[in-house]
Amino acid sequence: MKTINKILVCVTLALCFGAQVQAADGGNPKKGKHLYKKECKACHGVGDEGGEITPMSKTMSQWDRFFKRNKHKAKAEVFNALDEQELLDIQQFLYDHAADSDQPQTCG
Ligand code: HEC
């Protein structure tokens, strides 16, 4: 029984650690917050064209998926205008304060 528990702990840790490494690795959330206000809020405040979007609008994995697969399909030019590092920073900020994160945040 003890050995099985140890194995389970190892597997769980590996999964958590693996997931974290994959998530927005290398982004700077402080810069991301600033960029988010500058680049995203214009269209994503209350009553704006894109509808209100905050870090809490999605879960951590939904944000990762959005930045990896969707890439702001609704208006692709928004993401095209930002470089890789800027997008990574924004992704990190949104991820860190996602609905299921440790510090969910409603305002940008
Ligand atoms: C020029 C205006 C504009 C800017 C700037 C903009 N967006 Fe958008 N965004 C939109 C529009 C329009 C939609 C589509 C809304 C809809 O489908 O109702 C959208 C959709 C989205 C969605 C999809 C919402 C969903 O339901 O999944 C997300 C997430 C999003 N934007 C995030 C961002 C982020 C992050 C940034 C900053 C990097 C950003 N947007 C900048 C206009 C903008």
Side-chain angles (χ1 to χ4, degrees):
M1 195 55 193
K2 259 192 164 172
T3 322
I4 289 201
N5 276 341
K6 260 190 198 164
I7 291 172
L8 279 178
V9 168
C10 283
V11 170
T12 311
L13 282 178
L15 285 176
C16 291
F17 191 66
Q20 254 169 12
V21 166
Q22 187 192 27
D25 199 18
N28 179 331
K30 277 210 182 109
K31 281 191 192 156
K33 181 173 183 167
H34 175 75
L35 283 164
Y36 172 78
K37 281 186 176 166
K38 200 169 129 223
E39 306 290 344
C40 314
K41 269 284 164 185
C43 297
H44 287 297
V46 183
D48 288 327
E49 177 192 5
E52 191 190 12
I53 286 183
T54 71
M56 268 186 73
S57 300
K58 292 185 183 295
T59 62
M60 295 186 281
S61 60
Q62 283 173 328
W63 279 124
D64 278 352
R65 233 174 297 147
F66 181 76
F67 277 82
K68 217 164 146 188
R69 303 226 185 99
N70 182 303
K71 300 192 167 105
H72 209 272
K73 230 178 346 197
K75 272 191 189 285
E77 67 267 26
V78 172
F79 270 31
N80 290 340
L82 296 162
D83 69 33
E84 221 170 283
Q85 188 60 48
E86 289 172 326
L87 286 172
L88 207 55
D89 293 345
I90 296 171
Q91 179 181 2
Q92 186 77 63
F93 163 67
L94 293 169
Y95 180 94
D96 284 355
H97 301 288
D100 60 343
S101 68
D102 289 341
Q103 305 158 289
Q105 192 168 305
T106 48
C107 56

